[in-house]
């Protein structure tokens, strides 16, 4: 499963996820690819035990997290080519839609003449 914190807002320091087109696109593509996606807080232990982790944003689309350090301990995710298999598949699908290599099933792309 893929876990992402919900966009609760409200000023709670634990609710710092911003809404956005890229986040929504990643969620939709992950579902399209058959991943079980859950929007709930991600406890530290879950992150620490994860097979891979990624972040999303307009400039990077989706980018693997290489390491997390907590209280002197470091958890690293190392994959040949940089991204883990889930991260890479989502990235390739979204960028494929953007450039026309992958069918745009959602009407996201507008082609200009």
């Amino acid at each position: 499963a893929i876990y992402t914190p919900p966009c609760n807002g409200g000023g709670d320091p634990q609710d710092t996820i911003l809404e956005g087109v890229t986040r929504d696109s990643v969620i939709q593509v992950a579902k399209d690819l058959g991943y079980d996606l859950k929007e709930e807080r991600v406890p530290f232990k879950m992150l620490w035990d994860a097979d891979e982790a990624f972040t999303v944003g307009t400039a990077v689309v989706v980018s693997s997290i290489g390491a997390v350090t907590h209280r002197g301990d470091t958890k690293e995710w190392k994959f040949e080519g940089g991204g883990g298999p889930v991260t890479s598949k989502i990235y390739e699908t979204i960028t494929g839609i953007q450039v026309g290599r992958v069918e745009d099933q959602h009407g996201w792309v507008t082609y200009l003449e």
Side-chain angles (χ1 to χ4, degrees):
I2 296 174
Y3 291 85
T4 183
C7 295
N8 292 336
D12 187 322
Q14 294 186 41
D15 296 324
T16 58
I17 302 302
L18 299 174
E19 295 181 38
V21 172
T22 306
R23 179 182 187 274
D24 292 345
S25 299
V26 168
I27 288 171
Q28 184 60 58
V29 165
K31 289 177 179 178
D32 291 348
L33 293 171
Y35 293 105
D36 180 22
L37 191 124
K38 300 177 186 288
E39 289 188 72
E40 58 188 62
R41 283 191 174 154
V42 179
F44 175 76
K45 178 143 176 46
M46 183 185 292
L47 171 64
W48 197 260
D49 293 340
D51 295 331
E52 63 181 290
F54 60 82
T55 187
V56 303
T58 302
V60 298
V61 182
V62 58
S63 181
S64 288
I65 295 173
V68 173
T69 300
H70 177 69
R71 298 183 179 166
D73 292 324
T74 300
K75 163 74 179 213
E76 291 185 291
W77 293 275
K78 293 184 180 183
F79 299 99
E80 191 170 321
V86 175
T87 305
S88 296
K89 183 66 175 170
I90 293 171
Y91 177 84
E92 290 300 323
T93 302
I94 290 177
T95 57
I97 291 169
Q98 291 171 337
V99 299
R101 284 191 316 266
V102 174
E103 180 185 354
D104 176 12
Q105 301 174 12
H106 303 286
W108 294 338
V109 177
T110 300
Y111 293 97
L112 303 176
E113 294 183 29

